[in-house]
Amino acid sequence: MEGQGRGWRREQLNGLQARAGPGGGGGGGASPYQRLGQRMQDITGDRGVLKEVIRAGAGEMVPEDASVLVKYSGYLEHMDKPFDTNWYRRNSRLMKLGEEITLQGMEVGLLTMKKGELARFLFTPSYAYGALGCPPLIPPNATVLFEMELLDFLDSAESDKFFVLTTEQQDTFPLQKVLKVANTEREFGNYLFRQKRFMDARERYKRLERPVRALTYGEKALEIDKRNAKALFRCGQACLSLTEYEKARDFLVRAQKEQPFNHDINNELKKLASCYRDYMDKEKEMCCRMFAPLSFSPVEPEIKNPLQMKGTKE
């Protein structure tokens, strides 16, 4: 973790541990995690998951069924190093709640977070590894500390629903929901592209071809009235979401002719120009990187339990 990403100032952490020990004063024999929990927010109502925000995020909170891009480190109370971490992996991956993230405390905690947020959590055994633990790594009835940074998330619920439907059912999916599916799939493709997983990115982008049938909603309206500005605009939006840039331009220019001063139409044309430039840049970069030599990951630095840090003054 860098900057605030390592959590508290080390002086505070060492002070907490010192006061918790025998003769530390004010601790009443409480352990470091017990003292920490006293000033954390109870987000489950039973003190099973406690939270402290280190750095606030922005925007909406993570929805259920989302796929999240998160950095995390998990610590046992009296161990120096994390028992699990992905903090220094070069390429983090999107993980779906309830499928790839199965630790109940982690899922509960992530659902309270916003993009860019950095937070610390304590999970009691019932929200972590239970009465039995996970031998030999996790002892029985262990309370664990997790530090998590939410880098990004994608609300994939609509997309998941759409792609399990039959072709006939997809044809009846509401247009606005189809556009949301297309945006989600494009974001997944962009994420894979940034990870240099170019073939996976191409496959994800290809999934954008399926929702193109949604254009039939707008096209049916245009069969009745070819100058219907709203239908032209909606078709342009759909094509832009599906990365059909030439078709998008055709629909939007026709819509602009009908309503030259329409703010939404003019903004969508500007968005189209920007998206097309980005698309061409990515195509060039993809071609170059596919033939670039492999590079090796740097050696990962050590991560230590923030409550076990030593060598600093209180």
Side-chain angles (χ1 to χ4, degrees):
M1 304 177 189
E2 54 187 3
Q4 279 189 306
R6 282 305 300 138
W8 287 328
R9 290 167 31 236
R10 294 189 178 189
E11 308 93 79
Q12 293 173 303
L13 296 171
N14 290 314
L16 175 65
Q17 189 173 19
R19 290 193 298 272
S31 73
Y33 280 9
Q34 288 171 334
R35 288 189 59 82
L36 172 61
Q38 291 174 7
R39 64 202 220 188
M40 297 177 81
Q41 177 189 2
D42 179 6
I43 62 174
T44 53
D46 60 359
R47 300 195 64 79
V49 178
L50 304 178
K51 176 180 180 180
E52 179 182 37
V53 175
I54 300 169
R55 183 185 65 234
E60 300 294 324
M61 286 194 293
V62 174
E64 293 183 8
D65 300 319
S67 294
V68 297
L69 192 61
V70 60
K71 292 282 191 181
Y72 64 87
S73 291
Y75 302 92
L76 294 170
E77 188 165 18
H78 300 293
M79 293 187 68
D80 187 46
K81 297 179 182 179
F83 63 83
D84 188 18
T85 183
N86 73 344
W87 209 276
Y88 289 107
R89 289 179 189 168
R90 186 170 182 178
N91 294 319
S92 299
R93 62 186 184 88
L94 281 166
M95 295 181 288
K96 189 165 180 60
L97 297 179
E99 293 182 10
E100 294 166 289
I101 293 180
T102 56
L103 195 68
Q104 187 180 4
M106 265 189 93
E107 185 163 2
V108 169
L110 283 164
L111 290 171
T112 70
M113 297 182 74
K114 299 178 180 180
K115 183 177 177 180
E117 182 177 330
L118 175 66
R120 177 179 292 116
F121 297 88
L122 281 176
F123 307 147
T124 58
S126 58
Y127 287 89
Y129 299 95
L132 298 178
C134 188
L137 194 60
I138 311 296
N141 290 309
T143 293
V144 296
L145 180 149
F146 267 76
E147 287 187 346
M148 300 193 292
E149 180 179 13
L150 182 64
L151 304 178
D152 204 352
F153 66 87
L154 289 174
D155 184 359
S156 55
E158 292 292 355
S159 185
D160 294 339
K161 291 177 185 176
F162 183 81
F163 287 105
V164 297
L165 297 176
T166 65
T167 300
E168 292 75 17
Q169 291 171 325
Q170 288 179 2
D171 288 340
T172 63
F173 216 60
L175 177 58
Q176 287 305 113
K177 290 188 176 182
V178 172
L179 295 181
K180 186 175 181 180
V181 169
N183 285 329
T184 300
E185 291 302 306
R186 186 174 65 247
E187 287 300 316
F188 268 115
N190 291 344
Y191 159 75
L192 292 167
F193 178 85
R194 290 191 295 270
Q195 297 286 302
K196 300 182 182 180
R197 294 164 57 183
F198 300 118
M199 299 310 296
D200 290 337
R202 281 189 177 276
E203 289 302 312
R204 204 81 198 201
Y205 289 137
K206 283 181 181 179
R207 295 182 71 177
L208 293 170
E209 297 171 5
R210 300 184 192 180
V212 78
R213 291 188 297 274
L215 289 174
T216 56
Y217 291 95
E219 289 169 343
K220 286 178 181 178
L222 292 174
E223 288 176 5
I224 299 171
D225 179 7
K226 293 182 179 180
R227 299 176 63 181
N228 185 324
K230 183 176 180 180
L232 289 166
F233 174 67
R234 292 301 183 195
C235 287
Q237 275 189 314
C239 288
L240 178 55
S241 295
L242 300 166
T243 66
E244 295 282 348
Y245 297 120
E246 290 185 10
K247 288 183 179 180
R249 183 180 182 280
D250 178 63
F251 281 121
L252 292 172
V253 167
R254 287 165 60 191
Q256 189 185 51
K257 287 180 180 178
E258 300 302 324
Q259 295 184 8
F261 303 107
N262 185 296
H263 183 73
D264 292 334
I265 294 172
N266 291 329
N267 279 346
E268 203 70 13
L269 279 165
K270 291 177 183 178
K271 181 180 176 182
L272 169 63
S274 175
C275 289
Y276 185 71
R277 283 195 300 270
D278 290 344
Y279 169 77
M280 293 306 296
D281 289 343
K282 285 176 182 176
E283 284 291 304
K284 291 177 183 176
E285 188 178 356
M286 186 181 293
C287 290
C288 293
R289 289 187 177 184
M290 285 179 73
F291 299 100
L294 295 174
S295 59
F296 294 95
S297 300
V299 176
E300 297 181 358
E302 273 193 353
I303 308 175
K304 293 191 175 182
N305 188 330
L307 298 185
Q308 298 292 325
M309 294 177 180
K310 303 182 186 293
T312 55
K313 296 181 180 180
E314 185 175 353

